[in-house]
Amino acid sequence: MSSTFVVYVEDKPGVLNRVASLFRRRAFNIESLTVGHTDTPGVSRMTIVVGTDRDGARKVEAHLYKLVNVLRVDDVTSTPAVFRDLAMIKVQASAETRSHIMQLVDVYRARIVDVAPDSLMVEVTGTEDKIDSLLDVLRPYGVLEAVRTGRVAMARGAARTPRVRPASAALRGPMPRIPREPAASGPVQLTA
Amino acid sequence: MTRTSARASGRRLEPRMLTGAQIVLECLTRERVSHVFGYPGGAILPVYDVMPAYPIHHVLARHEQGAVHMADGFARAGGGVGVAMATSGPGATNMVTGIATAMMDSSPLVCITGQVSSSLIGSDAFQETDITGVTLPITKHNYLVTEADEIAPALREAFYIARSGRPGPVLVDITKDAQQGSCSFDWEAAEPKPPGYRPDHRPRAAEVRHALDLINGSARPVILLGHGVILGEAENLVKAFAERTTIPVAMTLLGIGAFPGSHPLNLGMMGLHGEAWVNEAVQQADLLIALGMRFDDRVTGKLAEFAPGARKIHVEIDPAEVNKNVPVDVGLIGDVRDVLEALLPGVTPNDHAAWLAHIDGLRGHATARSIQGFDDDGHLYAAHAIHDLWQATRGRALVVTDVGQHQMWEAQYYRHESTRSLITSGGLGPMGFAVPAAIGAKLARPDADVWAIVGDGGFQMTMAELGTMVQEGVKVNIAIINNGCLGMVRQLQEFFYGARYHATPLVNPDFVTLASAYGIRGIRVTERAGVAAAVAAAAAHDGPVLLDIRVESGDAVYPMVAAGAGLDQMIRRPAQEATR
Ligand SMILES: Cc1ncc(C[n+]2csc(CCOP(=O)(O)OP(=O)(O)O)c2C)c(N)n1
Ligand SMILES: [Mg+2]
């Protein structure tokens, strides 16, 4: 079983290392990790997929909160959320197979982003399942190269990025409070 | 501009231009740091160079591990933050064991290391070590500071993080060019506000009510008391809680001292080498109230068999500890103090007479097999020596123990009445802790009668710190429980490796002669009658005294929870005839 977290962190050197190191140290296996900027200066956002059950997920969340640079952790495994993976697939394409491939690409709502004499490059976004399935149907034509970003996730509804000062000023001036999710997303669910 | 003149003038003179090195010391001074334990080297020299201008006493250790253990002992004895300092590379790596010790036992430390200049970072320069990388998993947090103007915010935040919430060690690695650079210094503006750090948890009202229902409805409750009670200064509240509810108190190794040893509700230490009746009471309880302890594997025995009939309430400041090892019925996340204050008004008095009588029965049965009942047969047992040391110091010493058999015997036979009167490493268990930690403890509490109780093996790991003791004029008494071997490991070999004693016998120096090389008075003790006399001589002597107590080498610590067994499956001391 796997769990998906959206983790907001301060955008500072070494923070990715701290997060990744935590998973190694606590013997949790990262299945996928993506990281990028958010709309808020000084805040980065990670989507982390971890091979663990509900119990383990609770521990992961609590341990993440112990990292000083972690601003907020949302476990979106079973909350309404949109999950996406992006893949680019380079596939062999001869004069005969080219149109078959283009039809498949259409069915999957993927796009051709590069055309070469003997190959096509396909870009596809969707759930992991959809991309696995497209890869399966393209494989017989000869997949030359494939790359996937790993899962990114966003909860549905109005939850937003926490706001902080830009990293360079983070240690100096007064800091606005980080909006916390309601109690339900606190570090650990405790009541029996 | 000196500090004193700035103070005297009473004007706000900041911000003003200072070097990074001066800023380090300004910050330490304002954090009211009285002692820095350290060892100099090239990359930290700018800081050492300006140190004499500040009201901070530097204690020169003989090894950076010793410096960190000293800072740790200083923090544990005095309740403040301990500060250790070292140079880059080897100085920093030598600190690692000390830092890991503080991490495992939640001891508040700020460790400051010099680093090569920022332009050299990543070039494998002379004495460059990525110490923030090395210490990432063994610090609560750490910083690499490469600019003078980052020093004050990082140091202030380091102190704040080290002492707040669940305390722990924080390392600040400062490049040499940051120490040498100048910038304006503004203490006020450097106020720490790490945005993601939230140490201030409080339990929810519904959980408090749930806990109260369990407490008021239980017939066989036991309090499990841990280090968090000491760190949270909740000793008096625990006493009030235990007395109002008449609930007996079992403690972890690091909880010892937080509840008076002679209190009728004190059961004693639980766990691997806990008293048999304590473990039995824990196993038979219908409710465990864990206060500031983390269900370490040394105290639970086999998890699947731990206290099977008990509901569990876990009062803990670190949310990640709740439900980590033992699933609990109620987790009350917050400072033990705050939680107990919330619980106290809601508890109903109950004398638990039947339960206490039952535990007394368990105790009576176990005492019959205690070594205390053994006659003096001419052999000097470590347990007897420690028992007599307890009596001779009237139970009032501040004892710092090392790691091994003597550590367990101390926990069993030295009865501690007051908080912070036992300092020992529970989580990491590094041999060599006692002597340097005792030096730190004595500097934090100059009026305390500080004793280091240490094995002959562990003593030799940090005995170079005798030099620090002498140089600093610190009166710490040392009792080497000299059994001529690595006793705790020998014991494992005896029980689990067919008594094949490979690599555990020690050929030791004459510790009395060694002491005299340092000008320290040494006394050899070879029989039981000599223990009290030697302690009296140590008390009367002006400087440090080292006792070389020659004890039985083949003895083992009992009871002992069998490997991989439930907490009440204990190997007990054989009857006296059978020992030898
Ligand atoms: C630095 C370190 N190395 C190894 C160990 C493993 N170990 C635990 S107890 C022990 C023996 C300690 O011998 P000694 O100091 O003589 O104490 P005794 O058990 O004999 O009382 C050893 C080797 C340790 N705890 N720390
Ligand atoms: Mg020994």
Side-chain angles (χ1 to χ4, degrees):
Chain A
M1 197 197 155
S2 57
S3 301
T4 306
F5 300 91
V6 173
V7 184
Y8 298 93
V9 300
E10 286 182 83
D11 181 8
K12 286 185 174 174
V15 174
L16 174 61
N17 185 22
R18 287 177 196 276
V19 172
S21 164
L22 183 155
F23 287 91
R24 178 191 53 78
R25 149 94 176 84
R26 301 279 173 189
F28 287 104
N29 189 28
I30 298 182
E31 290 174 358
S32 132
L33 188 156
T34 62
V35 57
H37 296 296
T38 62
D39 56 320
T40 306
V43 178
S44 298
R45 186 183 193 286
M46 300 178 177
T47 305
I48 309 175
V49 185
V50 189
T52 186
D53 58 9
R54 294 301 306 145
D55 249 18
R58 231 173 281 154
K59 289 180 188 174
V60 165
E61 186 176 337
H63 284 303
L64 280 168
Y65 268 115
K66 284 178 75 166
L67 297 178
V68 169
N69 304 115
V70 167
L71 302 170
R72 200 175 85 201
V73 183
D74 296 339
D75 180 350
V76 296
T77 313
S78 46
T79 59
V82 178
F83 300 113
R84 288 292 180 270
D85 197 351
L86 181 146
M88 292 190 287
I89 306 161
K90 196 185 290 170
V91 60
Q92 275 178 347
S94 62
E96 308 86 77
T97 59
R98 195 168 291 264
S99 63
H100 290 146
I101 294 171
M102 289 171 76
Q103 272 171 21
L104 287 171
V105 164
D106 249 16
V107 171
Y108 280 84
R109 299 204 189 141
R111 297 194 300 144
I112 307 280
V113 291
D114 187 56
V115 180
D118 302 317
S119 69
L120 293 170
M121 196 194 299
V122 180
E123 176 199 296
V124 58
T125 53
T127 60
E128 283 100 333
D129 282 354
K130 172 177 160 183
I131 292 171
D132 288 344
S133 153
L134 176 59
L135 270 166
D136 283 345
V137 300
L138 289 180
R139 208 161 276 127
Y141 297 96
V143 171
L144 299 170
E145 201 181 343
V147 59
R148 298 171 69 151
T149 57
R151 185 188 297 180
V152 291
M154 186 177 278
R156 296 180 191 274
R160 61 188 295 205
T161 308
R163 315 259 138 201
V164 292
R165 285 282 188 90
S168 57
L171 285 173
R172 275 158 221 153
M175 194 67 62
R177 282 195 65 80
I178 304 303
R180 298 284 319 271
E181 285 294 270
S185 79
V188 184
Q189 283 308 105
L190 289 159
T191 351
Chain B
M1 177 67 59
T2 67
R3 216 186 107 262
T4 6
S5 65
R7 286 259 169 89
S9 71
R11 277 177 295 128
R12 186 176 143 87
L13 293 166
E14 294 177 348
R16 60 204 161 109
M17 293 298 286
L18 293 180
T19 66
Q22 289 172 315
I23 291 173
V24 170
L25 287 149
E26 282 287 343
C27 289
L28 296 184
T29 308
R30 284 158 201 255
E31 294 287 354
R32 299 205 188 76
V33 173
S34 57
H35 292 75
V36 169
F37 302 89
Y39 211 95
I44 192 71
L45 213 43
V47 172
Y48 274 83
D49 187 44
V50 294
M51 206 183 284
Y54 293 83
I56 287 175
H57 182 73
H58 181 264
V59 175
L60 178 64
R62 294 299 184 268
H63 186 294
E64 290 84 354
Q65 179 188 348
V68 183
H69 287 329
M70 285 176 206
D72 192 346
F74 185 87
R76 295 195 208 201
V81 177
V83 179
M85 192 176 279
T87 191
S88 66
T93 54
N94 269 356
M95 291 180 125
V96 165
T97 301
I99 296 172
T101 304
M103 184 68 175
M104 292 290 268
D105 287 351
S106 309
S107 195
L109 296 188
V110 170
C111 297
I112 300 170
T113 48
Q115 180 57 281
V116 300
S117 283
S118 53
S119 59
L120 294 174
I121 285 185
S123 71
D124 301 320
F126 178 63
Q127 296 193 334
E128 181 196 358
T129 297
D130 170 21
I131 198 63
T132 46
V134 169
T135 59
L136 192 70
I138 55 164
T139 49
K140 189 172 170 187
H141 194 54
N142 64 25
Y143 301 84
L144 170 61
V145 176
T146 55
E147 309 269 354
D149 67 353
E150 291 168 0
I151 292 175
L155 270 178
R156 276 197 81 169
E157 199 170 286
F159 275 88
Y160 169 59
I161 289 174
R163 73 173 139 238
S164 57
R166 178 181 180 173
V170 180
L171 180 131
V172 185
D173 192 27
I174 310 175
T175 59
K176 194 171 181 183
D177 54 329
Q179 298 167 45
Q180 288 167 325
S182 299
C183 70
S184 70
F185 171 67
D186 191 340
W187 172 256
E188 302 301 328
E191 199 196 332
K193 284 185 182 121
Y197 180 68
R198 41 183 92 75
D200 47 352
H201 297 277
R202 306 231 160 217
R204 295 169 209 156
E207 287 158 355
V208 171
R209 280 195 302 278
H210 186 184
L212 283 170
D213 287 345
L214 294 180
I215 293 166
N216 292 333
S218 71
R220 300 188 310 280
V222 175
I223 292 170
L224 310 180
L225 181 158
H227 197 196
V229 171
I230 297 171
L231 292 166
E233 298 177 355
E235 299 92 342
N236 290 336
L237 281 165
V238 172
K239 190 151 166 278
F241 180 84
E243 285 173 353
R244 195 172 303 173
T245 53
T246 329
I247 298 180
V249 181
M251 49 200 58
T252 69
L253 176 65
L254 292 194
I256 291 175
F259 194 77
S262 58
H263 196 288
L265 288 171
N266 185 353
L267 296 180
M269 182 173 73
M270 65 184 293
L272 184 67
H273 291 298
E275 305 291 2
W277 67 83
V278 190
N279 288 347
E280 284 164 357
V282 170
Q283 288 299 89
Q284 295 168 18
D286 70 349
L287 176 68
L288 297 178
I289 306 163
L291 304 176
M293 56 84 78
R294 59 186 174 91
F295 294 104
D296 178 79
D297 53 73
R298 300 282 109 160
V299 304
T300 59
K302 186 176 180 186
L303 271 180
E305 286 168 26
F306 178 67
R311 312 294 292 268
K312 288 149 195 121
I313 299 172
H314 195 177
V315 179
E316 170 59 51
I317 199 164
D318 178 357
E321 289 297 347
V322 178
N323 289 320
K324 187 181 83 178
N325 295 342
V326 171
V328 298
D329 297 273
V330 190
L332 300 175
I333 297 182
D335 197 273
V336 195
R337 235 186 129 88
D338 298 339
V339 176
L340 285 175
E341 264 163 12
L343 287 174
L344 262 175
V347 295
T348 50
N350 180 335
D351 65 7
H352 291 119
W355 173 229
L356 291 178
H358 174 74
I359 295 176
D360 265 350
L362 300 173
R363 193 196 300 253
H365 170 70
T367 312
R369 314 190 64 147
S370 159
I371 194 169
Q372 287 311 109
F374 285 23
D375 303 327
D376 181 356
D377 56 5
H379 296 279
L380 179 53
Y381 292 101
H384 285 152
I386 289 167
H387 171 271
D388 294 355
L389 182 84
W390 164 61
Q391 290 207 318
T393 55
R394 301 196 307 282
R396 297 210 199 114
L398 192 175
V399 181
V400 184
T401 60
D402 213 76
V403 176
Q405 290 184 317
H406 63 280
Q407 179 187 29
M408 293 299 115
W409 280 315
E410 197 283 345
Q412 294 176 339
Y413 295 104
Y414 197 108
R415 192 186 278 172
H416 290 268
E417 298 299 329
S418 61
T419 191
R420 297 184 191 268
S421 67
L422 171 61
I423 294 175
T424 192
S425 164
L428 190 75
M431 291 165 67
F433 175 78
V435 170
I439 294 171
K442 179 70 180 182
L443 288 167
R445 301 238 304 269
D447 296 335
D449 177 20
V450 177
W451 279 83
I453 297 184
V454 52
D456 46 334
F459 176 72
Q460 293 180 74
M461 284 211 173
T462 52
M463 65 186 181
E465 303 302 345
L466 292 179
T468 310
M469 267 167 65
V470 172
Q471 186 163 352
E472 291 294 323
V474 174
K475 171 156 172 75
V476 165
N477 296 317
I478 298 171
I480 301 178
I481 305 299
N482 185 353
N483 55 7
C485 64
L486 303 174
M488 188 57 98
V489 178
R490 181 188 187 281
Q491 170 167 354
L492 296 177
Q493 292 172 327
E494 177 181 347
F495 285 105
F496 307 119
Y497 295 87
R500 292 181 295 276
Y501 301 125
H502 177 57
T504 45
L506 286 169
V507 174
N508 289 324
D510 176 352
F511 292 119
V512 171
T513 308
L514 181 83
S516 74
Y518 284 94
I520 290 174
R521 170 139 189 234
I523 302 173
R524 182 170 308 117
V525 179
T526 53
E527 54 182 30
R528 185 158 185 189
V531 178
V535 173
H541 186 67
D542 204 17
V545 172
L546 181 151
L547 310 188
D548 174 15
I549 307 179
R550 303 281 179 93
V551 301
E552 283 293 325
S553 66
D555 201 2
V557 180
Y558 297 97
M560 171 167 71
V561 176
L567 200 52
D568 50 0
Q569 306 296 303
M570 280 166 290
I571 303 170
R572 307 287 279 275
R573 179 172 284 279
Q576 185 168 21
E577 302 75 58
T579 44
R580 57 187 52 81

